[in-house]
Amino acid sequence: MTSNSVRRGQRSRASRRGGYLVSIAINGVLLYLLDAHPGWQSMSFLTPATAQVIGLVNLMLWAGIVANGVYFIADPPPLRAVGDLVTLTIGLVTTVRVWEVFPFAFHGSVAFVDLIARVVLIIAIVGACIGILYSLVTLIRSLARAGTQRGARDLR
């Protein structure tokens, strides 16, 4: 491994910042598609029940934009862990609510998509739970590491 290579599993700062910008752009496009005229009402597979979840979906997308904007500026592990905890929790609440309301209507030859949508929601719920646990562990480890480093400085 050369001195300027990136440790395995870590991306360069520039690469991460590019990912944050892509995420901001995708969330922005989704917000526009859902909220601009005619918005979600024009999407034939969404039912009027979408009105019950659109606020949470918007909150989830805005939380992603804000978190990635902050990460673009600075992304130390403790800050990322806190931001990920917040965004994943909002995402989990949103996904569970979408599961409850299920504002989708797939008919005819695409009726099987109903099952696919349910499976995707289950995967999203499980993924959010795993992500929340991972972020908690990351936050605890980062804080413990910072405390150990502070304690070592105090001993000098």
Side-chain angles (χ1 to χ4, degrees):
M1 189 179 246
T2 62
S3 61
N4 63 357
S5 66
V6 177
R7 280 194 297 168
R8 188 173 182 200
Q10 290 185 339
R11 296 179 300 155
S12 71
R13 173 94 170 115
S15 174
R16 291 191 316 269
R17 291 181 80 189
Y20 302 145
L21 289 177
V22 168
S23 181
I24 290 168
I26 289 170
N27 284 351
V29 167
L30 289 173
L31 277 168
Y32 177 80
L33 291 173
L34 291 173
D35 295 333
H37 183 72
W40 65 265
Q41 297 90 341
S42 68
M43 297 178 193
S44 62
F45 63 92
L46 294 177
T47 69
T50 302
Q52 296 176 39
V53 296
I54 197 69
L56 278 173
V57 172
N58 283 335
L59 175 63
M60 179 182 69
L61 293 170
W62 276 110
I65 288 172
V66 170
N68 282 287
V70 169
Y71 302 158
F72 183 82
I73 296 166
D75 67 348
L79 178 63
R80 283 284 317 268
V82 169
D84 290 350
L85 278 169
V86 171
T87 56
L88 285 164
T89 301
I90 292 169
L92 177 61
V93 168
T94 301
T95 308
V96 168
R97 185 66 181 140
V98 168
W99 172 273
E100 292 171 345
V101 172
F102 202 73
F104 308 106
F106 303 105
H107 304 289
S109 63
V110 294
F112 69 93
V113 177
D114 185 75
L115 176 62
I116 293 171
R118 291 273 187 193
V119 170
V120 168
L121 288 171
I122 290 170
I123 292 169
I125 290 168
V126 171
C129 291
I130 292 169
I132 289 168
L133 291 173
Y134 179 82
S135 295
L136 278 171
V137 169
T138 300
L139 179 60
I140 291 167
R141 290 175 76 188
S142 296
L143 294 175
R145 193 175 304 121
T148 302
Q149 291 171 349
R150 193 173 309 123
R153 278 192 305 240
D154 293 345
L155 291 175
R156 289 189 220 163

